[in-house]
Amino acid sequence: MPSPGYWREIPNRYRLEAGRCRGCGKVVYPARRVCPACRGRAFDRTALSRTATVVTSTVVHVPPGDLLMEAPYAVAVVESPEGARFAMQIVDCDPACVVPGLQVNLEFRLIRREGREGILCYGYKGVPAPQGAEGRG
Amino acid sequence: MAGIVGYGAFIPRMRIRTDEIARQWHKDPGTIRRGLLLEEKSVPGFDEDTITISVAAGRAALDRSGVDPARVGALYIGSESHPYAVKPSGTVVAEALGIGPDVHVADFEFACKAGTEAMFVALCLVESGRVEYALAIGADTSQGAPDDALEYSASAGGAAYLFGRNDTLVDVLATHSVTTDTPDFWRREGAFYPRHGGRFTGEPAYFKHVLASTRALFAKSGLGPQDFRFAVFHMPNGKFPLEAGKTLGFRREQLEVGWIVPQMGNTYSGSSPTGLAAVLDVAEPGDRILLTSFGSGAGSDSFALQATERLVERRTRAPTVRGMLDGPHRYLTYGEYAKVREKIIVND
Amino acid sequence: MRDVAIVAAGMTRFGELWDSSLRDLFVDAATEALDHAGADHLDAVFVGNMSGGLFTGQEHVGALLVDQLGMAGVAAARVESACASGGVALRAAFAEVASGLSDLVLAAGVEKMNDGADVTAVLATAADQETEVYHGLTFPALYAMIARAHMHAHGTTEEDLAWVSVKNHRHGARNPKAQFQKEVTVEQVAASALVAEPLRLLHCSPVSDGAAAVLLCPLEQARRYTDRPVRIAASGLATSSMALANRADPAWLDAVERAAAKAYRMAGTGPKQIQVAEVHDCFAIAEICCIEALGFVERGRGGKAARDGFTALGGCIPVNTSGGLKAKGHPVGATGIAQAIEIFEQLRGEAGERQVAGAELGLAQNMGGSGASAVVHIFERV
């Protein structure tokens, strides 16, 4: 993506910055101007925890062109402890183990490259939390 | 007295065995393993690079320190595989860790000692009082050319050290650095793989600088090998650090904990810093630790360190090196390795 | 508001139409509709087209295509709502006539997908760029997650998905305009290549070129053009959260539910009265979820409908007698109009081997993205 668009998203992509609606308390990620729950317009800045739970998932076998070498990869809709839901890849595991309820820790990764000479785009991916251990906050 | 107030490391979870690489090139696996004293090495995924490794290690260091990232006044990343040729790794890492914008950032480069280089500068900055906290990271995802000796060892990983004046986990007793212009290993701009001088990388390069720097540190500090519980050297393969240690008068037990190269491979700027992290994971209060790095080109940085009481309680706040080495990981075939290290030509 | 009728239809075959450009496709469908009606002029044209820009480099297709039709000067605009573009174009045309703004309006849809674009990337623009596509989610991946959520919550199986494709291919085999006119078996579906688990190639609608057009006028003028007009009894348009992650239940298409509720209310009817329906089966799971949201079956029970024959020709509520998006094809912008054409022909008794005997009330449901927009029209024989 062209760099101004990428740069604008850094707070939510690098630091999981979200907004907590002052009207109804809903945590909105990425932050928006208007709360989708109550249409409130005042928010407090907050950051999501670096753990989440898988809600639903799939394994992508036919990827977009720039992720060709990385397929097959698992993607999931996950939910953070703050109640925010968002999509991400789940990596460093057998894709078959990505099932609803799986606890993941969020690790900073290179999400995509703009070809050979464009910018590098970073963000978070989920990695299954070690068995029996609590996710790292 | 300035010292280390937080430390952390990160090692990617994919691995490849020395045997698998040897078989690819029709070499006898046993001979290679014994010759290099390497069993396997870490392999970075498409989505891992010096920046992502630095973020993970840096976060662990901040967690162990309990310091608010906004108070970090300087951040230095040392690597020979910075993702951009022009645009710093440090700016991405800073933003990801919540450091800045009131921070000084620079990328360092000096082959395998860019990490300890960053540590030296971070230490001095804090000592001078110019900044309150300085974070130094050494991380790499370097390439080894196919069918070259370095293909068995070039791996990925890194470690981070936060320096400060108060509540140190590890004190810095003394430092020394030695540098000469020695063309033992290099990579020209635009080249995909580095080149090296074969056996020239041994005695006139690695050993000359590691021994000189360590001996000068001994003289300067009045400490000898018997005064240290642990010694960590740069680990380009399994053999060199053991030989250097022995020559300097260290016993095998002193080298053992920091000698993680047989499992991890050579993480270049992350090598001795990660070895140090492995030692800090188990060191007891009062233990002295020697660290001497080596970067081709060439030079060595030496540190005499001492663990404090605080280390024991704080180190539980982040993963250990042993935990990462032995934890979940997956072995690749050579084909998967070649794909993920982008040694296969693909269309743009 | 005036009553509005569809008086004529025209449609290309759907498929890989290498010899036809975007312009050719539109003109073929539009002229067929005009010729059937004996109409020599138009007051307005609305063209549903998801992305002439990304597929062929051409935007501004409303003006372009009306010019290609030899009618430069006529009011025209392109309508976009991803895969619901055709259905929303129909609604725009309906409103244009119902309000009295125009008397003879063409609602068309066209897509030229096979001119060399990266189709996966273009279709992904219907999803949330910042939060879904950025992370490597593809369109099939979104529906695959809907499928898994449905399977997890309601016990729907992969075989249930296959039966949707089997049924729609059986219908499509009777449709001379369909892209695929061959039946498939459950085994063939289960053996086809994985796209995004559990969806396989034969669970997914194909990449298609094609165009479709319907001519609308006030019901009171319909006899000028045909002796069997079909009245548009209702139009309902609704949206839902763009990102799948922001839906209350990933296995429930609430935009479809909302659009259908508006349409049923406007037509003064309900799901039990509908006798034939065209439903947006971009992926097999979509049909399962859509028939639940339309109220044809209870929530969560959509999985067995195709397998049990409930939604087959001859069943309680035949769904996708045209072959659906799966067998008929899915030139994105054209689909919503093609759905309307199938119901139009069913209500006129012109559906040949696909005819639902005595059908008087039909429904077409068109959907965009992973369910972020939905449009439902109800049609009745007059």
Side-chain angles (χ1 to χ4, degrees):
Chain A
M1 76 184 358
S3 51
Y6 172 73
W7 161 82
R8 217 166 14 243
E9 303 302 318
I10 282 175
N12 81 63
R13 289 197 180 134
Y14 284 18
R15 294 191 293 275
L16 299 170
E17 278 184 23
R20 176 174 280 111
C21 174
R22 284 195 198 143
C24 68
K26 182 175 171 73
V27 173
V28 177
Y29 175 78
R32 300 188 192 191
R33 312 263 171 139
V34 179
C35 175
C38 75
R39 287 206 217 128
R41 296 191 211 167
F43 293 88
D44 290 312
R45 218 156 33 144
T46 183
L48 302 183
S49 311
R50 274 173 281 112
T51 63
T53 309
V54 171
V55 175
T56 180
S57 68
T58 184
V59 180
V60 176
H61 287 261
V62 179
D66 59 332
L67 296 181
L68 198 58
M69 291 280 112
E70 302 186 46
Y73 53 86
V75 297
V77 169
V78 301
E79 183 168 316
S80 80
E82 296 79 13
R85 283 193 178 181
F86 49 97
M88 61 172 31
Q89 290 182 35
I90 309 293
V91 293
D92 279 0
C93 67
D94 177 1
C97 82
V98 183
V99 293
L102 177 72
Q103 290 288 117
V104 296
N105 291 327
L106 273 45
E107 293 192 3
F108 192 75
R109 295 293 176 99
L110 178 65
I111 305 295
R112 54 205 319 145
R113 306 170 205 186
E114 296 290 298
R116 275 196 189 287
E117 302 191 0
I119 59 170
L120 302 173
C121 302
Y122 293 88
Y124 282 90
K125 295 189 180 182
V127 174
Q131 298 285 356
E134 302 205 348
R136 264 174 278 130
Chain B
M1 180 196 290
I4 296 167
V5 299
Y7 76 96
F10 182 78
I11 301 167
R13 296 181 184 90
M14 290 198 288
R15 307 286 152 80
I16 185 168
R17 291 190 170 96
T18 304
D19 284 10
E20 178 66 16
I21 302 174
R23 273 194 293 268
Q24 170 68 20
W25 305 116
H26 299 287
K27 302 288 203 300
D28 175 53
T31 307
I32 304 279
R33 259 189 289 113
R34 284 188 299 274
L36 298 173
L37 289 185
L38 295 175
E39 295 295 323
E40 59 190 59
K41 66 174 186 173
S42 62
V43 183
F46 279 108
D47 59 356
E48 297 183 282
D49 61 16
T50 289
I51 286 175
T52 66
I53 292 169
S54 296
V55 169
R59 178 157 285 136
L62 286 166
D63 287 348
R64 283 195 170 111
S65 71
V67 169
D68 178 356
R71 293 169 74 185
V72 175
L75 170 63
Y76 303 120
I77 318 273
S79 179
E80 58 178 276
S81 53
H82 288 289
Y84 287 95
V86 176
K87 188 186 173 306
S89 303
T91 57
V92 179
V93 176
E95 288 261 18
L97 293 177
I99 294 173
D102 299 314
V103 62
H104 182 256
V105 171
D107 277 7
F108 281 48
E109 170 269 310
F110 196 136
C112 299
K113 86 167 182 80
T116 55
E117 191 162 276
M119 288 166 70
F120 175 75
V121 171
L123 167 72
C124 295
L125 215 50
V126 169
E127 272 180 348
S128 75
R130 181 76 63 173
V131 305
E132 197 189 356
Y133 293 102
L135 183 60
I137 306 180
D140 257 303
T141 57
S142 283
Q143 290 280 14
D147 202 11
D148 180 86
L150 296 186
E151 196 183 25
Y152 297 97
S153 54
S155 67
Y161 291 88
L162 185 67
F163 289 85
R165 287 185 147 254
N166 306 308
D167 297 339
T168 56
L169 312 187
V170 183
D171 290 327
V172 179
L173 305 176
T175 69
H176 191 82
S177 291
V178 154
T179 309
T180 68
D181 184 17
T182 307
D184 62 308
F185 167 101
W186 64 92
R187 185 172 65 80
R188 291 281 296 279
E189 182 79 56
F192 193 70
Y193 299 113
R195 305 278 209 130
H196 59 90
R199 288 194 56 82
F200 181 66
T201 64
E203 202 214 296
Y206 179 91
F207 290 99
K208 173 175 162 183
H209 296 79
V210 167
L211 299 178
S213 186
T214 310
R215 285 177 177 142
L217 182 77
F218 286 162
K220 182 184 264 190
S221 63
L223 297 166
Q226 69 286 352
D227 298 314
F228 293 89
R229 174 133 181 249
F230 301 99
V232 179
F233 297 97
H234 172 54
M235 295 167 271
N237 54 58
K239 281 214 163 136
F240 279 19
L242 294 182
E243 218 176 291
K246 187 169 167 198
T247 306
L248 288 164
F250 289 100
R251 294 178 328 275
R252 183 70 184 242
E253 307 86 78
Q254 291 169 294
L255 305 171
E256 206 67 68
V257 173
W259 189 65
I260 52 178
V261 62
Q263 251 183 303
M264 186 174 76
N266 176 10
T267 55
Y268 285 51
S269 300
S271 175
S272 54
T274 307
L276 173 62
V279 164
L280 296 182
D281 288 339
V282 301
E284 270 149 44
D287 284 349
R288 282 189 214 89
I289 304 141
L290 169 82
L291 170 70
T292 295
S293 65
F294 171 73
S296 289
S300 281
D301 300 319
S302 292
F303 299 76
L305 306 163
Q306 186 162 39
T308 72
E309 307 278 335
R310 248 166 251 105
L311 176 63
V312 176
E313 176 259 323
R314 291 286 193 76
R315 65 178 167 220
T316 57
R317 293 186 188 180
T320 63
V321 171
R322 186 46 49 194
M324 285 185 274
L325 284 172
D326 296 342
H329 57 275
R330 179 167 85 93
Y331 292 100
L332 306 180
T333 61
Y334 189 86
E336 290 172 317
Y337 167 77
K339 179 179 92 157
V340 104
R341 294 264 60 203
E342 301 182 70
K343 301 187 185 196
I344 299 178
I345 300 173
V346 295
N347 272 335
D348 268 340
Chain C
M1 277 210 329
R2 307 189 287 184
D3 277 337
V4 180
I6 301 179
V7 296
M11 186 172 151
T12 65
R13 204 197 136 151
F14 285 178
E16 288 177 341
L17 309 176
W18 305 108
D19 293 333
S20 296
S21 66
L22 179 80
R23 302 164 190 217
D24 295 333
L25 295 168
F26 171 84
V27 169
D28 287 348
T31 50
E32 187 176 290
L34 288 169
D35 290 349
H36 281 163
D40 62 356
H41 74 282
L42 286 171
D43 295 333
V45 176
F46 291 97
V47 185
N49 174 251
M50 172 174 165
S51 194
L54 291 177
F55 283 125
T56 66
Q58 179 71 63
E59 301 282 27
H60 213 180
V61 293
L64 169 78
L65 294 177
V66 98
D67 175 8
Q68 291 288 304
L69 201 50
M71 295 196 189
V74 168
R78 172 255 203 127
V79 177
E80 184 273 325
S81 188
C83 324
S85 296
V88 182
L90 178 62
R91 178 186 170 86
F94 166 74
E96 178 88 4
V97 174
S99 64
L101 276 174
S102 295
D103 282 352
L104 197 58
V105 178
L106 191 73
V110 61
E111 209 75 53
K112 178 69 190 171
M113 298 174 78
N114 284 301
D115 267 0
D118 178 348
V119 175
T120 304
V122 177
L123 291 178
T125 60
D128 187 321
Q129 295 307 296
E130 309 292 350
T131 68
E132 294 180 323
V133 179
Y134 181 74
H135 288 281
L137 270 66
T138 59
F139 213 54
L142 289 167
Y143 277 94
M145 288 200 281
I146 291 175
R148 279 216 178 148
H150 203 275
M151 290 158 85
H152 185 71
H154 307 302
T156 302
T157 66
E158 287 188 31
E159 209 184 296
D160 291 338
L161 297 176
W163 276 106
V164 175
S165 300
V166 169
K167 165 183 77 76
N168 288 344
H169 269 262
R170 190 175 300 140
H171 295 169
R174 303 175 184 198
N175 184 350
K177 299 250 171 126
Q179 182 161 353
F180 300 119
Q181 294 177 24
K182 245 176 41 159
E183 298 200 24
V184 297
T185 65
V186 169
E187 292 71 35
Q188 283 172 317
V189 176
S192 62
L194 278 170
V195 176
E197 297 179 21
L199 298 179
R200 295 176 177 272
L201 193 62
L202 291 182
H203 291 124
C204 307
S205 56
V207 173
S208 323
D209 303 324
V214 288
L215 194 58
L216 275 61
C217 73
L219 182 59
E220 70 216 5
Q221 296 172 22
R223 304 281 161 188
R224 292 184 210 173
Y225 305 106
T226 179
D227 52 13
R228 269 182 294 173
V230 166
R231 184 178 150 255
I232 299 179
S235 173
L237 173 66
T239 60
S240 177
S241 312
M242 178 61 140
L244 183 63
N246 293 138
R247 312 258 172 85
D249 174 0
W252 178 253
L253 295 170
D254 58 300
V256 176
E257 180 192 20
R258 278 193 204 110
K262 293 188 200 185
Y264 289 139
R265 189 163 47 241
M266 183 171 169
T269 187
K272 298 258 180 294
Q273 280 70 48
I274 304 296
Q275 294 164 305
V276 60
E278 288 284 294
V279 148
H280 197 88
D281 62 316
C282 46
F283 300 90
I285 183 63
E287 177 168 317
I288 289 172
C289 291
C290 285
I291 60 175
E292 290 178 14
L294 289 167
F296 294 157
V297 295
E298 262 178 55
R299 183 169 183 157
R301 328 278 318 141
K304 304 289 175 251
R307 153 192 254 157
D308 291 346
F310 188 75
T311 46
L313 257 174
C316 281
I317 166 72
V319 168
N320 287 334
T321 54
S322 64
L325 278 58
K326 175 65 194 77
K328 175 186 53 171
H330 182 35
V332 181
T335 282
I337 304 294
Q339 290 176 325
I341 292 178
E342 180 72 5
I343 303 301
F344 175 68
E345 291 182 356
Q346 286 283 359
L347 298 184
R348 281 155 60 103
E350 290 173 354
E353 291 176 61
R354 307 186 311 284
Q355 186 64 50
V356 174
E360 293 183 344
L361 199 64
L363 176 150
Q365 172 257 337
N366 191 206
M367 183 165 71
S370 63
S373 66
V375 58
V376 172
H377 288 93
I378 296 176
F379 308 87
E380 85 180 336
R381 194 166 79 186
V382 289

